[in-house]
Amino acid sequence: MAILRSFRDLNVYKLARVQSQQIFVVSRLFPNEERYALTDQIRRSSRAVNAMIAEAWAHRRYEAAFVHKLTEALGEAMETQAWLDHASDCKYLVGEQFQKLDKSWQEIGAMLNGMIQKAGSFCNSVKK
């Protein structure tokens, strides 16, 4: 395993960053009436994942704090999926476009779960 020097080295951070940008691109096509509702909510939740991963990284000295922030990031990733469901229900996202985005956010969730399960391996390197 490569040495991780920054939260920016984490694959989950990289994927969430790309996917939040994808959310931004597709949400630009949502109707104007959704600007302060669905568009704002889905952008905020998708972007929050990266911010919480970065914050978790800063809290690695304390495993419980690290896990707490990753759990919040997981919650935001799942919230993003819920907003994707709403966009799909409203036909703003259809077929493969929805499936591709949803699959990516499921992968992000799985990666965050993996980090939570192996939190000690991330935190112990800081304590040495």
Side-chain angles (χ1 to χ4, degrees), residues 6 10 12 25 31 55 60 71 73-74 76 81 90 100 111:
S6 167
L10 297 167
V12 67
V25 170
E55 194 170 348
R60 288 177 301 140
T71 302
L74 178 59
E76 293 291 339
Q81 285 185 279
C90 295
K100 191 174 177 182
M111 293 169 86

Side-chain angles (χ1 to χ4, degrees), residues 66-84:
F66 179 72
V67 168
H68 175 74
K69 281 297 169 188
L70 290 178
T71 302
E72 287 184 354
L74 178 59
E76 293 291 339
M78 295 179 100
E79 180 181 335
T80 300
Q81 285 185 279
W83 293 123
L84 287 171

Side-chain angles (χ1 to χ4, degrees), residues 29-42:
L29 303 175
F30 292 175
N32 282 339
E33 68 227 30
E34 293 286 6
R35 177 176 290 162
Y36 301 108
L38 180 59
T39 302
D40 185 55
Q41 292 289 354
I42 197 168

Side-chain angles (χ1 to χ4, degrees), residues 25-26 29 84 92-102:
V25 170
V26 300
L29 303 175
L84 287 171
Y92 304 148
L93 296 173
V94 292
E96 189 177 321
Q97 186 181 39
F98 167 79
Q99 291 169 355
K100 191 174 177 182
L101 285 166
D102 188 59

Side-chain angles (χ1 to χ4, degrees), residues 1-10 57 60 125-126:
M1 185 167 128
I3 295 175
L4 301 172
R5 299 188 190 283
S6 167
F7 62 89
R8 291 185 180 107
D9 295 332
L10 297 167
W57 187 261
R60 288 177 301 140
S125 64
V126 170

Side-chain angles (χ1 to χ4, degrees), residues 7-22:
F7 62 89
R8 291 185 180 107
D9 295 332
L10 297 167
N11 289 334
V12 67
Y13 179 85
K14 293 173 188 177
L15 180 59
R17 188 172 176 191
V18 167
Q19 291 306 309
S20 65
Q21 183 61 27
Q22 288 298 312

